Amino acid sequence: MTQRARRRVTTRRPDRRPARRPVRGPARRPVRRPRGRAARRRARERALTRLAVAALLLAALVALARAHPVATGTVAVLAVVAATLVLLVRTGRLDLPGATGPRRDVTHTLAALQHMTGTQFEHAVADLARRDPAVRSATVSGGANDRGLDVLVVLRDGRRIAVQCKRYAEGNRVGAPAIYTANGTYRAYHRCDQAVIVTTSRFTRDAEVANASLPEPLRLIDGRRLARWLGGGAAPWT
């Protein structure tokens, strides 16, 4: 080997680049396997338990009916009558004394209504409607897509009233768009016979003119009429 070759060999620098470490991914959580047979077995056991309990109850009822047919028939008739009454009361088709319990207190001042939230005002109007003996039910149904219906009032004669609630400050009046919205939806969409707009404020002149031009004008209840209604005056649908 020549001297020049030896110099090349001795002057060669070693490779000091660090070795690449293997990239480790995120730690994987152990996959939970479905319980499979154990879950199915427990489900079958629960089903069999329910079936056995139902069979025992049925056998006991049959034995009781054979031993005391008159008493069993009387109890069955009373149970059917009670279930029917509960269904009629819940659907609003029947009102029993004391069935609805104590009604929520409604503050009889217009200023108190103005300080409520929109939802609280809707519930207050519904409670006020329930005071009328001609009302069978009043349900709050307001929301993001209420289509001009905040409270649905059903009268005892079968009429349906769509009530739109506008809790506005004194300087913020209800305009004509609210009239057009309520008039366009209360019959076709909500299948109601009449529409009422209740506000704590007043209506603009355009709203009054638009309402007067309708073939069947809506009932507009401004702050003054609402105050009279709160004080015991006639309801808007009378």
Side-chain angles (χ1 to χ4, degrees):
M1 182 180 295
T2 62
Q3 186 177 0
R4 183 177 298 178
R6 289 179 182 178
R7 290 179 180 178
R8 291 178 181 178
V9 173
T10 54
T11 57
R12 186 178 181 181
R13 296 181 180 180
D15 190 3
R16 296 181 180 179
R17 290 180 297 177
R20 295 183 180 179
R21 296 180 180 180
V23 180
R24 297 182 180 179
R28 297 183 179 179
R29 297 181 180 179
V31 180
R32 295 183 179 179
R33 297 181 179 179
R35 298 179 182 180
R37 296 181 180 179
R40 289 194 295 268
R41 184 176 65 255
R42 283 194 292 270
R44 286 196 299 267
E45 291 176 355
R46 287 194 295 267
L48 291 175
T49 302
R50 296 193 188 98
L51 183 61
V53 172
L56 290 176
L57 290 176
L58 181 60
L61 290 176
V62 171
L64 183 62
R66 290 180 178 178
H68 306 282
V70 178
T72 305
T74 304
V75 172
V77 171
L78 291 177
V80 172
V81 172
T84 304
L85 289 176
V86 171
L87 179 62
L88 292 177
V89 170
R90 288 187 175 182
T91 54
R93 299 179 180 179
L94 178 65
D95 287 337
L96 297 179
T100 57
R103 294 178 178 176
R104 288 175 293 178
D105 185 24
V106 179
T107 306
H108 297 275
T109 60
L110 185 61
L113 296 179
Q114 290 175 342
H115 287 83
M116 291 182 178
T117 63
T119 303
Q120 290 173 346
F121 180 58
E122 293 171 1
H123 283 278
V125 172
D127 285 340
L128 184 59
R130 296 189 190 101
R131 293 184 175 187
D132 187 2
V135 172
R136 186 172 66 187
S137 64
T139 307
V140 177
S141 59
N145 297 319
D146 55 9
R147 294 179 182 269
L149 176 64
D150 294 323
V151 179
L152 175 61
V153 176
V154 180
L155 303 182
R156 296 187 184 276
D157 58 6
R159 287 183 296 163
R160 292 164 57 91
I161 312 297
V163 181
Q164 187 175 9
C165 302
K166 298 291 186 181
R167 187 203 56 80
Y168 286 175
E170 179 62 25
N172 187 12
R173 300 186 180 186
V174 181
I179 307 296
Y180 298 138
T181 300
N183 182 68
T185 58
Y186 82 92
R187 283 190 300 263
Y189 189 80
H190 300 297
R191 298 180 180 178
C192 291
D193 304 290
Q194 189 177 353
V196 178
I197 301 180
V198 181
T199 180
T200 54
S201 179
R202 289 182 290 177
F203 295 89
T204 62
R205 179 61 181 170
D206 293 340
E208 294 176 351
V209 172
N211 186 59
S213 63
L214 297 177
E216 296 181 8
L218 313 181
R219 299 290 180 90
L220 304 183
I221 307 299
D222 58 6
R224 294 181 180 180
R225 295 182 180 179
L226 178 58
R228 290 197 294 266
W229 188 17
L230 288 167
W237 41 82
T238 55

